[in-house]
Amino acid sequence: MSLAPRAVRLVSRGLAPKALSHRLARPYASAATDLTPNTSYKAVTHPDSAVPDSTKSLIQSQTHYLLNTYARPPLLFTHGKGLKLTDSSGRDYLDFTAGIAVTALGHSDEGVNKVMAEQAAKISHASNIYWNEHAGELARLLVENTRQHGGLGLAKEGGSSGGKVFFSNSGTEANEGALKFARKYGKEIGGHKKTGLVCFTNAFHGRSMGALSVTPNPKYQAPFAPLIPDVRVGELNDMDEERLQSLVDENTCGVIVEPIQGEGGVEASKVEWLEMLGRRCREVGAVLIYDEIQCGLFRSGTMWAHSSFPADAQPDIVTMAKPLANGFPIGAIMVRDRVAEVISVGSHGTTFGGQPLATAIGVHVLSRLSDPSFISSLNATASHLEGLLGRLPKMFPGLLKTDLRGRGLIRGIAFKDEKAPGELVHLARERGVLLLTAGKDAVRLVPALVVSKEQCDHAVAVIESCLSIMQEGGWGKKDKA
């Protein structure tokens, strides 16, 4: 039974995503056997260069005042609905990025808009000096839904074990807080030397100093060195027990890992490796942190990517953010009781985190995402998308690796040529479909969780057309420069 209030459950029904105004691609009735690429979308329909002069002028004027931290095409989106984004030229795009896995209920969702307007009219912020109506309710929904769906090692029957939540404003802040909590827990149980942190190859945990220190990518780290000390980097999915024992030792206070890496290439952590890692953490008293900022909150098909993992692979802390308020800034850290016991008054704080407006929206969003009918629909669509994507390596063996990455509605298309992902993203965008790169070798698909099978058909049809263009242009050949 859903933990959502009845009124919210009723709102969630009948909100199937509306199709884009342009014609969607043919459905793939014979997905398992039909290996003929759809080439209907080779023509450029949304050229980056076709931008109104007024937009060009606006972009140019803004560059005088905005720090140059983003490489962006000259696109300015003015509004959206569901999975449709409309630019300043009036062109509609099918959005398979969801604001980087954020807008789980799609753009400009009516239910979210209603809650936002009603709560803003009452009170949006008063600080954590005082209590508010919604923070505790959202924390309850997070803990009890986790208990019901699996995760954080919580028993479904309840009992003495439980969890507690701290709200922040973003995923990076959630990870910063989790690292602080691990350090405090380590010192409480092991003394002042128990401060070591462990992360893994290709991880991405954020860009502030602590989170950046456990994001072992020289591109991100080098300009800001020296970073925080006492951080070790292990190899993701390395099953060598001796190396693990050396990596996670008696002075380790915390280990942070993504069950499914997002920015790192949509690589999944193997369950058997996470079991081994979890056992080692418990042997030495280290806190195991799962960063589920991108893969959590039903994107993987279950509430958490680790929901169904065995007991040894259950974490002590889970961090989350992106979809929790459908684009309104919020993050959260959920911890087991034994970790919560060492976090006392003054241990951590925030000005904006857990404010009434953000948490009211969060209650609404989580109530809808956790509705059984929503989850069932999501998984049916995810299975359909998996079938479509699974055909691509067979169609384009010279271009693509054989592995289909991710699960649910976080998916990765892996390329043999590391220059190819950016090319596919560009070609698809100029044909009206928005995609993301991931790591060095992958293109990432993270659509809103309300995506329809027809929209999946269209996105993959465009991808097939673009891959056909790339193949005809020499991509995938050994002598390709």
Side-chain angles (χ1 to χ4, degrees):
M1 180 180 177
S2 171
L3 293 168
R6 183 174 181 275
V8 175
R9 295 203 304 271
L10 292 174
V11 169
S12 71
R13 290 172 171 79
L15 287 181
K18 296 180 180 178
L20 291 180
S21 57
H22 54 70
R23 179 179 61 84
L24 291 176
R26 61 173 172 83
Y28 291 101
S30 56
T33 57
D34 182 7
L35 297 179
T36 304
N38 188 317
T39 57
S40 301
Y41 298 91
K42 285 188 172 183
V44 173
T45 55
H46 295 61
D48 287 347
S49 58
V51 178
D53 289 340
S54 58
T55 299
K56 292 179 182 177
S57 177
L58 178 63
I59 291 172
Q60 184 61 36
S61 67
Q62 289 189 6
T63 61
H64 290 294
Y65 300 99
L66 291 172
L67 276 173
N68 183 32
T69 55
Y70 303 104
R72 298 186 266 215
L75 293 181
L76 190 156
F77 291 115
T78 58
H79 57 285
K81 189 69 178 176
L83 273 80
K84 180 176 73 175
L85 279 174
T86 304
D87 74 359
S88 56
S89 302
R91 299 178 298 187
D92 293 337
Y93 290 75
L94 180 60
D95 181 14
F96 261 57
T97 73
I100 315 182
V102 170
T103 53
L105 297 174
H107 299 289
S108 192
D109 176 79
E110 292 177 9
V112 171
N113 291 347
K114 183 173 184 291
V115 171
M116 189 181 301
E118 290 177 351
Q119 184 59 45
K122 292 171 60 180
I123 184 172
S124 60
H125 178 78
S127 89
N128 285 299
I129 296 172
Y130 313 104
W131 295 88
N132 73 63
E133 294 179 85
H134 305 295
E137 174 63 6
L138 181 55
R140 183 191 72 83
L141 283 174
L142 284 167
V143 172
E144 296 307 325
N145 269 292
T146 298
R147 190 187 303 283
Q148 178 179 322
H149 293 276
L152 202 70
L154 301 184
K156 287 189 177 182
E157 295 78 17
S160 59
S161 65
K164 287 187 169 56
V165 177
F166 178 92
F167 289 111
S168 63
N169 308 292
S170 68
T172 295
E173 284 187 35
N175 283 336
E176 287 282 346
L179 296 175
K180 283 182 65 178
F181 294 170
R183 278 267 172 96
K184 193 169 192 302
Y185 181 84
K187 288 184 176 182
E188 289 277 347
I189 69 163
H192 70 282
K193 290 185 178 180
K194 195 171 181 64
T195 59
L197 297 168
V198 171
C199 60
F200 296 94
T201 50
N202 297 320
F204 185 92
H205 298 295
R207 295 176 186 267
S208 55
M209 290 302 283
L212 182 62
S213 299
V214 291
T215 298
N217 185 328
K219 178 178 73 173
Y220 298 135
Q221 288 187 337
F224 306 102
L227 303 172
I228 67 170
D230 212 3
V231 175
R232 295 177 178 176
V233 181
E235 188 73 27
L236 189 77
N237 292 327
D238 180 3
M239 293 297 295
D240 187 294
E241 288 205 38
E242 286 190 14
R243 281 197 291 269
L244 181 62
Q245 289 177 2
S246 176
L247 180 71
V248 181
D249 62 20
E250 297 292 337
N251 289 328
T252 302
C253 70
V255 176
I256 186 167
V257 63
E258 299 157 278
I260 302 174
Q261 292 184 334
E263 302 292 330
V266 201
E267 291 279 10
S269 300
K270 294 179 180 178
V271 177
E272 58 269 28
W273 176 72
L274 290 171
E275 285 185 276
M276 188 170 73
L277 180 62
R279 285 193 295 269
R280 181 57 179 166
C281 285
R282 267 118 224 176
E283 286 173 7
V284 301
V287 171
L288 180 58
I289 304 164
Y290 280 178
D291 175 345
E292 294 231 21
I293 289 163
Q294 190 156 158
C295 63
L297 293 169
F298 298 99
R299 179 157 292 281
S300 68
T302 51
M303 182 170 181
W304 306 112
H306 75 273
S307 285
S308 62
F309 289 0
D312 283 344
Q314 292 290 315
D316 303 300
I317 296 179
V318 180
T319 58
M320 69 201 81
K322 289 180 178 291
L324 187 53
N326 207 58
F328 196 91
I330 192 172
I333 313 161
M334 186 165 58
V335 305
R336 290 202 201 199
D337 277 347
R338 63 184 178 84
V339 177
E341 288 170 1
V342 308
I343 310 303
S344 55
V345 173
S347 295
H348 199 42
T350 172
T351 297
F352 297 106
Q355 62 164 229
L357 182 55
T359 52
I361 299 168
V363 168
H364 177 85
V365 171
L366 182 56
S367 297
R368 286 173 58 186
L369 296 183
S370 59
D371 186 282
S373 63
F374 186 96
I375 299 167
S376 176
S377 176
L378 182 162
N379 280 307
T381 304
S383 178
H384 180 75
L385 180 60
E386 180 176 18
L388 299 177
L389 295 176
R391 302 157 63 251
L392 296 180
K394 301 172 186 176
M395 289 181 178
F396 304 99
L399 275 171
L400 303 179
K401 296 178 181 178
T402 57
D403 58 320
L404 177 58
R405 297 181 185 172
R407 57 185 167 95
L409 290 175
I410 176 169
R411 294 289 181 174
I413 303 170
F415 285 82
K416 294 178 178 179
D417 186 335
E418 292 182 359
K419 297 178 182 177
E423 180 70 6
L424 174 58
V425 169
H426 174 250
L427 290 173
R429 184 175 67 243
E430 292 207 310
R431 286 149 186 84
V433 173
L434 302 176
L435 306 171
L436 295 166
T437 57
K440 295 179 180 179
D441 67 347
V443 165
R444 185 177 11 159
L445 286 73
V446 283
L449 304 187
V450 294
V451 64
S452 69
K453 292 178 181 178
E454 292 75 21
Q455 289 167 326
C456 291
D457 286 341
H458 181 77
V460 175
V462 171
I463 289 170
E464 289 176 14
S465 292
C466 295
L467 291 174
S468 296
I469 294 170
M470 293 173 68
Q471 186 169 258
E472 292 164 4
W475 291 88
K477 294 181 179 179
K478 290 183 178 180
D479 59 351
K480 176 70 181 176

